[in-house]
Amino acid sequence: MENIRISLPLDPQQVKTLRAGDTVLLTGTLYTGRDAAHKRLVACIERGEPLPIPLENQLIYYVGPAPASPGHAVGSAGPTTSYRMDAYTPALLERGLLGMMGKGKRGPAVIEAMKKRGAVYFGAVGGAAALISRRIESAEVVAYEDLGAEAIHRFVVRDFPALVLIDSLGNNLYELGPAQYRTDGAQA
């Protein structure tokens, strides 16, 4: 199976063609954020304040990168468990966010919000954080510097490998994958 090349920020039309299980290579600019940053972003929305980053058609990678070693943009940069952002994700999707990337399952409210927005959820490879960090060409803190590694960073990535875990139709690899291997006669 060939990787699908995706330029960032995301193109809504291309996102609609992606299906759960597709492998992709991401190139361009994305933002990072974990639960503390998400909480602050949603608080800005609730207060009617401008956000420190653009959300329209953007991808947020759930990561808290380690400090960079000489010659590298960042240190280890593996995905964070995504359900920790579930309480904040629908509000960000309503403001234009088009993609998220992390690891693990998402809750029903997030999946419904994704379907409404036409958004996608990518999985990054856990356990290969040092290796995938080599696909990050530059990194800079752009908001909430006081959060340290959990600050919002802008990454420029080239051929960053990911897997479509949940597509814009709500097809969920966490359900589809195991269904392929059922031996009890149950239908998927």
PDB file of all heavy atoms in Angstrom, residues 12-43:
ATOM      1  N   PRO A  12      -9.570  20.544   3.013  1.00  0.00           N
ATOM      2  CA  PRO A  12     -10.824  19.869   3.369  1.00  0.00           C
ATOM      3  C   PRO A  12     -11.274  18.830   2.336  1.00  0.00           C
ATOM      4  O   PRO A  12     -11.814  17.789   2.711  1.00  0.00           O
ATOM      5  CB  PRO A  12     -11.839  21.007   3.468  1.00  0.00           C
ATOM      6  CG  PRO A  12     -11.027  22.224   3.742  1.00  0.00           C
ATOM      7  CD  PRO A  12      -9.718  22.006   3.032  1.00  0.00           C
ATOM      8  N   GLN A  13     -11.034  19.097   1.063  1.00  0.00           N
ATOM      9  CA  GLN A  13     -11.432  18.133   0.029  1.00  0.00           C
ATOM     10  C   GLN A  13     -10.603  16.856   0.117  1.00  0.00           C
ATOM     11  O   GLN A  13     -11.129  15.757  -0.034  1.00  0.00           O
ATOM     12  CB  GLN A  13     -11.327  18.769  -1.358  1.00  0.00           C
ATOM     13  CG  GLN A  13     -12.291  19.922  -1.572  1.00  0.00           C
ATOM     14  CD  GLN A  13     -13.725  19.550  -1.253  1.00  0.00           C
ATOM     15  OE1 GLN A  13     -14.236  18.515  -1.652  1.00  0.00           O
ATOM     16  NE2 GLN A  13     -14.408  20.410  -0.501  1.00  0.00           N
ATOM     17  N   GLN A  14      -9.293  16.991   0.364  1.00  0.00           N
ATOM     18  CA  GLN A  14      -8.451  15.808   0.491  1.00  0.00           C
ATOM     19  C   GLN A  14      -8.823  15.015   1.737  1.00  0.00           C
ATOM     20  O   GLN A  14      -8.856  13.779   1.709  1.00  0.00           O
ATOM     21  CB  GLN A  14      -6.968  16.177   0.508  1.00  0.00           C
ATOM     22  CG  GLN A  14      -6.070  14.952   0.504  1.00  0.00           C
ATOM     23  CD  GLN A  14      -4.594  15.277   0.505  1.00  0.00           C
ATOM     24  OE1 GLN A  14      -4.159  16.282   1.042  1.00  0.00           O
ATOM     25  NE2 GLN A  14      -3.810  14.402  -0.122  1.00  0.00           N
ATOM     26  N   VAL A  15      -9.113  15.717   2.819  1.00  0.00           N
ATOM     27  CA  VAL A  15      -9.480  15.040   4.066  1.00  0.00           C
ATOM     28  C   VAL A  15     -10.696  14.148   3.841  1.00  0.00           C
ATOM     29  O   VAL A  15     -10.768  13.031   4.357  1.00  0.00           O
ATOM     30  CB  VAL A  15      -9.730  16.066   5.197  1.00  0.00           C
ATOM     31  CG1 VAL A  15     -10.442  15.429   6.392  1.00  0.00           C
ATOM     32  CG2 VAL A  15      -8.404  16.685   5.629  1.00  0.00           C
ATOM     33  N   LYS A  16     -11.649  14.610   3.041  1.00  0.00           N
ATOM     34  CA  LYS A  16     -12.859  13.825   2.769  1.00  0.00           C
ATOM     35  C   LYS A  16     -12.561  12.530   2.025  1.00  0.00           C
ATOM     36  O   LYS A  16     -13.355  11.600   2.064  1.00  0.00           O
ATOM     37  CB  LYS A  16     -13.864  14.657   1.972  1.00  0.00           C
ATOM     38  CG  LYS A  16     -14.488  15.767   2.784  1.00  0.00           C
ATOM     39  CD  LYS A  16     -15.423  16.600   1.931  1.00  0.00           C
ATOM     40  CE  LYS A  16     -15.945  17.788   2.724  1.00  0.00           C
ATOM     41  NZ  LYS A  16     -16.777  18.673   1.903  1.00  0.00           N
ATOM     42  N   THR A  17     -11.414  12.442   1.339  1.00  0.00           N
ATOM     43  CA  THR A  17     -11.071  11.230   0.589  1.00  0.00           C
ATOM     44  C   THR A  17     -10.325  10.205   1.434  1.00  0.00           C
ATOM     45  O   THR A  17     -10.191   9.055   1.014  1.00  0.00           O
ATOM     46  CB  THR A  17     -10.195  11.568  -0.647  1.00  0.00           C
ATOM     47  OG1 THR A  17      -8.899  12.000  -0.213  1.00  0.00           O
ATOM     48  CG2 THR A  17     -10.851  12.615  -1.527  1.00  0.00           C
ATOM     49  N   LEU A  18      -9.841  10.614   2.595  1.00  0.00           N
ATOM     50  CA  LEU A  18      -9.069   9.701   3.450  1.00  0.00           C
ATOM     51  C   LEU A  18      -9.996   8.702   4.128  1.00  0.00           C
ATOM     52  O   LEU A  18     -11.130   9.032   4.487  1.00  0.00           O
ATOM     53  CB  LEU A  18      -8.305  10.491   4.505  1.00  0.00           C
ATOM     54  CG  LEU A  18      -7.270  11.480   3.990  1.00  0.00           C
ATOM     55  CD1 LEU A  18      -6.704  12.298   5.140  1.00  0.00           C
ATOM     56  CD2 LEU A  18      -6.163  10.760   3.234  1.00  0.00           C
ATOM     57  N   ARG A  19      -9.489   7.495   4.313  1.00  0.00           N
ATOM     58  CA  ARG A  19     -10.264   6.455   4.977  1.00  0.00           C
ATOM     59  C   ARG A  19      -9.452   5.837   6.100  1.00  0.00           C
ATOM     60  O   ARG A  19      -8.217   5.750   6.025  1.00  0.00           O
ATOM     61  CB  ARG A  19     -10.689   5.352   3.986  1.00  0.00           C
ATOM     62  CG  ARG A  19     -11.678   5.834   2.949  1.00  0.00           C
ATOM     63  CD  ARG A  19     -13.015   6.236   3.595  1.00  0.00           C
ATOM     64  NE  ARG A  19     -13.902   6.904   2.680  1.00  0.00           N
ATOM     65  CZ  ARG A  19     -14.107   8.224   2.650  1.00  0.00           C
ATOM     66  NH1 ARG A  19     -13.474   9.027   3.475  1.00  0.00           N
ATOM     67  NH2 ARG A  19     -14.940   8.762   1.790  1.00  0.00           N
ATOM     68  N   ALA A  20     -10.151   5.394   7.132  1.00  0.00           N
ATOM     69  CA  ALA A  20      -9.503   4.730   8.256  1.00  0.00           C
ATOM     70  C   ALA A  20      -8.612   3.610   7.724  1.00  0.00           C
ATOM     71  O   ALA A  20      -9.048   2.810   6.895  1.00  0.00           O
ATOM     72  CB  ALA A  20     -10.551   4.180   9.218  1.00  0.00           C
ATOM     73  N   GLY A  21      -7.374   3.601   8.162  1.00  0.00           N
ATOM     74  CA  GLY A  21      -6.393   2.613   7.719  1.00  0.00           C
ATOM     75  C   GLY A  21      -5.412   3.147   6.693  1.00  0.00           C
ATOM     76  O   GLY A  21      -4.376   2.526   6.462  1.00  0.00           O
ATOM     77  N   ASP A  22      -5.719   4.291   6.067  1.00  0.00           N
ATOM     78  CA  ASP A  22      -4.778   4.878   5.106  1.00  0.00           C
ATOM     79  C   ASP A  22      -3.500   5.297   5.819  1.00  0.00           C
ATOM     80  O   ASP A  22      -3.544   5.821   6.936  1.00  0.00           O
ATOM     81  CB  ASP A  22      -5.373   6.125   4.428  1.00  0.00           C
ATOM     82  CG  ASP A  22      -6.448   5.819   3.404  1.00  0.00           C
ATOM     83  OD1 ASP A  22      -6.584   4.642   2.998  1.00  0.00           O
ATOM     84  OD2 ASP A  22      -7.161   6.765   3.009  1.00  0.00           O
ATOM     85  N   THR A  23      -2.377   5.085   5.159  1.00  0.00           N
ATOM     86  CA  THR A  23      -1.103   5.581   5.677  1.00  0.00           C
ATOM     87  C   THR A  23      -0.751   6.854   4.925  1.00  0.00           C
ATOM     88  O   THR A  23      -0.962   6.953   3.717  1.00  0.00           O
ATOM     89  CB  THR A  23       0.021   4.543   5.524  1.00  0.00           C
ATOM     90  OG1 THR A  23       0.151   4.181   4.154  1.00  0.00           O
ATOM     91  CG2 THR A  23      -0.258   3.307   6.362  1.00  0.00           C
ATOM     92  N   VAL A  24      -0.244   7.830   5.658  1.00  0.00           N
ATOM     93  CA  VAL A  24       0.020   9.137   5.075  1.00  0.00           C
ATOM     94  C   VAL A  24       1.412   9.626   5.448  1.00  0.00           C
ATOM     95  O   VAL A  24       2.007   9.170   6.433  1.00  0.00           O
ATOM     96  CB  VAL A  24      -1.039  10.180   5.511  1.00  0.00           C
ATOM     97  CG1 VAL A  24      -2.447   9.747   5.131  1.00  0.00           C
ATOM     98  CG2 VAL A  24      -0.954  10.460   7.007  1.00  0.00           C
ATOM     99  N   LEU A  25       1.900  10.573   4.657  1.00  0.00           N
ATOM    100  CA  LEU A  25       3.121  11.312   4.958  1.00  0.00           C
ATOM    101  C   LEU A  25       2.740  12.787   4.964  1.00  0.00           C
ATOM    102  O   LEU A  25       2.266  13.308   3.945  1.00  0.00           O
ATOM    103  CB  LEU A  25       4.202  11.039   3.913  1.00  0.00           C
ATOM    104  CG  LEU A  25       4.740   9.608   3.872  1.00  0.00           C
ATOM    105  CD1 LEU A  25       5.689   9.428   2.686  1.00  0.00           C
ATOM    106  CD2 LEU A  25       5.430   9.241   5.181  1.00  0.00           C
ATOM    107  N   LEU A  26       2.918  13.433   6.094  1.00  0.00           N
ATOM    108  CA  LEU A  26       2.521  14.826   6.280  1.00  0.00           C
ATOM    109  C   LEU A  26       3.720  15.743   6.058  1.00  0.00           C
ATOM    110  O   LEU A  26       4.796  15.511   6.611  1.00  0.00           O
ATOM    111  CB  LEU A  26       1.988  15.030   7.699  1.00  0.00           C
ATOM    112  CG  LEU A  26       0.828  14.128   8.122  1.00  0.00           C
ATOM    113  CD1 LEU A  26       0.622  14.198   9.625  1.00  0.00           C
ATOM    114  CD2 LEU A  26      -0.437  14.516   7.380  1.00  0.00           C
ATOM    115  N   THR A  27       3.512  16.809   5.268  1.00  0.00           N
ATOM    116  CA  THR A  27       4.566  17.791   5.025  1.00  0.00           C
ATOM    117  C   THR A  27       3.969  19.186   5.137  1.00  0.00           C
ATOM    118  O   THR A  27       2.931  19.457   4.533  1.00  0.00           O
ATOM    119  CB  THR A  27       5.197  17.590   3.630  1.00  0.00           C
ATOM    120  OG1 THR A  27       5.807  16.295   3.582  1.00  0.00           O
ATOM    121  CG2 THR A  27       6.245  18.644   3.341  1.00  0.00           C
ATOM    122  N   GLY A  28       4.633  20.034   5.916  1.00  0.00           N
ATOM    123  CA  GLY A  28       4.174  21.412   6.081  1.00  0.00           C
ATOM    124  C   GLY A  28       4.206  21.815   7.535  1.00  0.00           C
ATOM    125  O   GLY A  28       4.987  21.289   8.329  1.00  0.00           O
ATOM    126  N   THR A  29       3.318  22.742   7.889  1.00  0.00           N
ATOM    127  CA  THR A  29       3.294  23.300   9.242  1.00  0.00           C
ATOM    128  C   THR A  29       2.117  22.748  10.029  1.00  0.00           C
ATOM    129  O   THR A  29       0.990  22.704   9.532  1.00  0.00           O
ATOM    130  CB  THR A  29       3.179  24.837   9.166  1.00  0.00           C
ATOM    131  OG1 THR A  29       4.306  25.340   8.447  1.00  0.00           O
ATOM    132  CG2 THR A  29       3.164  25.451  10.549  1.00  0.00           C
ATOM    133  N   LEU A  30       2.387  22.330  11.261  1.00  0.00           N
ATOM    134  CA  LEU A  30       1.346  21.895  12.177  1.00  0.00           C
ATOM    135  C   LEU A  30       1.632  22.506  13.547  1.00  0.00           C
ATOM    136  O   LEU A  30       2.706  23.059  13.773  1.00  0.00           O
ATOM    137  CB  LEU A  30       1.242  20.371  12.245  1.00  0.00           C
ATOM    138  CG  LEU A  30       2.466  19.564  12.678  1.00  0.00           C
ATOM    139  CD1 LEU A  30       2.609  19.490  14.188  1.00  0.00           C
ATOM    140  CD2 LEU A  30       2.360  18.149  12.124  1.00  0.00           C
ATOM    141  N   TYR A  31       0.663  22.408  14.431  1.00  0.00           N
ATOM    142  CA  TYR A  31       0.804  22.926  15.786  1.00  0.00           C
ATOM    143  C   TYR A  31       0.741  21.773  16.768  1.00  0.00           C
ATOM    144  O   TYR A  31       0.188  20.717  16.467  1.00  0.00           O
ATOM    145  CB  TYR A  31      -0.297  23.948  16.093  1.00  0.00           C
ATOM    146  CG  TYR A  31      -0.136  25.196  15.267  1.00  0.00           C
ATOM    147  CD1 TYR A  31      -0.781  25.333  14.045  1.00  0.00           C
ATOM    148  CD2 TYR A  31       0.701  26.224  15.692  1.00  0.00           C
ATOM    149  CE1 TYR A  31      -0.604  26.467  13.266  1.00  0.00           C
ATOM    150  CE2 TYR A  31       0.881  27.360  14.923  1.00  0.00           C
ATOM    151  CZ  TYR A  31       0.233  27.471  13.715  1.00  0.00           C
ATOM    152  OH  TYR A  31       0.418  28.593  12.944  1.00  0.00           O
ATOM    153  N   THR A  32       1.318  21.991  17.937  1.00  0.00           N
ATOM    154  CA  THR A  32       1.267  20.976  18.981  1.00  0.00           C
ATOM    155  C   THR A  32       0.408  21.491  20.120  1.00  0.00           C
ATOM    156  O   THR A  32       0.207  22.695  20.270  1.00  0.00           O
ATOM    157  CB  THR A  32       2.670  20.653  19.535  1.00  0.00           C
ATOM    158  OG1 THR A  32       3.148  21.762  20.308  1.00  0.00           O
ATOM    159  CG2 THR A  32       3.643  20.321  18.416  1.00  0.00           C
ATOM    160  N   GLY A  33      -0.072  20.579  20.929  1.00  0.00           N
ATOM    161  CA  GLY A  33      -0.827  20.971  22.103  1.00  0.00           C
ATOM    162  C   GLY A  33      -1.259  19.748  22.881  1.00  0.00           C
ATOM    163  O   GLY A  33      -1.592  18.724  22.292  1.00  0.00           O
ATOM    164  N   ARG A  34      -1.217  19.894  24.179  1.00  0.00           N
ATOM    165  CA  ARG A  34      -1.715  18.847  25.063  1.00  0.00           C
ATOM    166  C   ARG A  34      -2.845  19.427  25.903  1.00  0.00           C
ATOM    167  O   ARG A  34      -3.348  20.500  25.621  1.00  0.00           O
ATOM    168  CB  ARG A  34      -0.566  18.295  25.904  1.00  0.00           C
ATOM    169  CG  ARG A  34       0.409  17.495  25.036  1.00  0.00           C
ATOM    170  CD  ARG A  34       1.612  16.980  25.761  1.00  0.00           C
ATOM    171  NE  ARG A  34       1.318  16.403  27.062  1.00  0.00           N
ATOM    172  CZ  ARG A  34       2.172  15.662  27.750  1.00  0.00           C
ATOM    173  NH1 ARG A  34       3.351  15.391  27.246  1.00  0.00           N
ATOM    174  NH2 ARG A  34       1.860  15.194  28.930  1.00  0.00           N
ATOM    175  N   ASP A  35      -3.252  18.714  26.942  1.00  0.00           N
ATOM    176  CA  ASP A  35      -4.454  19.107  27.673  1.00  0.00           C
ATOM    177  C   ASP A  35      -4.387  20.500  28.303  1.00  0.00           C
ATOM    178  O   ASP A  35      -5.360  21.248  28.251  1.00  0.00           O
ATOM    179  CB  ASP A  35      -4.875  18.049  28.700  1.00  0.00           C
ATOM    180  CG  ASP A  35      -3.730  17.331  29.379  1.00  0.00           C
ATOM    181  OD1 ASP A  35      -2.652  17.200  28.789  1.00  0.00           O
ATOM    182  OD2 ASP A  35      -3.926  16.866  30.510  1.00  0.00           O
ATOM    183  N   ALA A  36      -3.252  20.895  28.874  1.00  0.00           N
ATOM    184  CA  ALA A  36      -3.172  22.229  29.496  1.00  0.00           C
ATOM    185  C   ALA A  36      -3.361  23.334  28.456  1.00  0.00           C
ATOM    186  O   ALA A  36      -4.070  24.315  28.698  1.00  0.00           O
ATOM    187  CB  ALA A  36      -1.848  22.402  30.228  1.00  0.00           C
ATOM    188  N   ALA A  37      -2.740  23.171  27.294  1.00  0.00           N
ATOM    189  CA  ALA A  37      -2.894  24.164  26.222  1.00  0.00           C
ATOM    190  C   ALA A  37      -4.314  24.154  25.677  1.00  0.00           C
ATOM    191  O   ALA A  37      -4.894  25.218  25.405  1.00  0.00           O
ATOM    192  CB  ALA A  37      -1.890  23.899  25.106  1.00  0.00           C
ATOM    193  N   HIS A  38      -4.898  22.977  25.527  1.00  0.00           N
ATOM    194  CA  HIS A  38      -6.279  22.888  25.051  1.00  0.00           C
ATOM    195  C   HIS A  38      -7.245  23.586  26.010  1.00  0.00           C
ATOM    196  O   HIS A  38      -8.166  24.276  25.577  1.00  0.00           O
ATOM    197  CB  HIS A  38      -6.685  21.424  24.862  1.00  0.00           C
ATOM    198  CG  HIS A  38      -6.255  20.843  23.564  1.00  0.00           C
ATOM    199  ND1 HIS A  38      -4.936  20.618  23.241  1.00  0.00           N
ATOM    200  CD2 HIS A  38      -6.965  20.449  22.494  1.00  0.00           C
ATOM    201  CE1 HIS A  38      -4.862  20.101  22.035  1.00  0.00           C
ATOM    202  NE2 HIS A  38      -6.096  19.992  21.549  1.00  0.00           N
ATOM    203  N   LYS A  39      -7.025  23.396  27.285  1.00  0.00           N
ATOM    204  CA  LYS A  39      -7.881  24.048  28.285  1.00  0.00           C
ATOM    205  C   LYS A  39      -7.816  25.568  28.121  1.00  0.00           C
ATOM    206  O   LYS A  39      -8.847  26.246  28.158  1.00  0.00           O
ATOM    207  CB  LYS A  39      -7.440  23.639  29.688  1.00  0.00           C
ATOM    208  CG  LYS A  39      -8.304  24.191  30.786  1.00  0.00           C
ATOM    209  CD  LYS A  39      -7.862  23.673  32.147  1.00  0.00           C
ATOM    210  CE  LYS A  39      -8.782  24.206  33.242  1.00  0.00           C
ATOM    211  NZ  LYS A  39      -8.422  23.667  34.556  1.00  0.00           N
ATOM    212  N   ARG A  40      -6.626  26.095  27.882  1.00  0.00           N
ATOM    213  CA  ARG A  40      -6.472  27.543  27.697  1.00  0.00           C
ATOM    214  C   ARG A  40      -7.112  28.013  26.392  1.00  0.00           C
ATOM    215  O   ARG A  40      -7.720  29.085  26.356  1.00  0.00           O
ATOM    216  CB  ARG A  40      -4.994  27.927  27.726  1.00  0.00           C
ATOM    217  CG  ARG A  40      -4.403  27.839  29.111  1.00  0.00           C
ATOM    218  CD  ARG A  40      -2.991  28.379  29.121  1.00  0.00           C
ATOM    219  NE  ARG A  40      -2.372  28.202  30.420  1.00  0.00           N
ATOM    220  CZ  ARG A  40      -1.154  28.612  30.706  1.00  0.00           C
ATOM    221  NH1 ARG A  40      -0.418  29.238  29.788  1.00  0.00           N
ATOM    222  NH2 ARG A  40      -0.649  28.409  31.903  1.00  0.00           N
ATOM    223  N   LEU A  41      -6.974  27.229  25.333  1.00  0.00           N
ATOM    224  CA  LEU A  41      -7.584  27.615  24.056  1.00  0.00           C
ATOM    225  C   LEU A  41      -9.108  27.706  24.204  1.00  0.00           C
ATOM    226  O   LEU A  41      -9.727  28.671  23.740  1.00  0.00           O
ATOM    227  CB  LEU A  41      -7.214  26.622  22.950  1.00  0.00           C
ATOM    228  CG  LEU A  41      -5.772  26.629  22.483  1.00  0.00           C
ATOM    229  CD1 LEU A  41      -5.506  25.448  21.542  1.00  0.00           C
ATOM    230  CD2 LEU A  41      -5.421  27.945  21.788  1.00  0.00           C
ATOM    231  N   VAL A  42      -9.699  26.708  24.842  1.00  0.00           N
ATOM    232  CA  VAL A  42     -11.157  26.707  25.013  1.00  0.00           C
ATOM    233  C   VAL A  42     -11.585  27.849  25.933  1.00  0.00           C
ATOM    234  O   VAL A  42     -12.615  28.488  25.696  1.00  0.00           O
ATOM    235  CB  VAL A  42     -11.652  25.334  25.501  1.00  0.00           C
ATOM    236  CG1 VAL A  42     -13.120  25.379  25.917  1.00  0.00           C
ATOM    237  CG2 VAL A  42     -11.451  24.290  24.395  1.00  0.00           C
ATOM    238  N   ALA A  43     -10.789  28.168  26.945  1.00  0.00           N
ATOM    239  CA  ALA A  43     -11.109  29.306  27.814  1.00  0.00           C
ATOM    240  C   ALA A  43     -11.113  30.607  27.005  1.00  0.00           C
ATOM    241  O   ALA A  43     -11.977  31.465  27.205  1.00  0.00           O
ATOM    242  CB  ALA A  43     -10.121  29.393  28.973  1.00  0.00           C
TER     243      ALA A  43
END
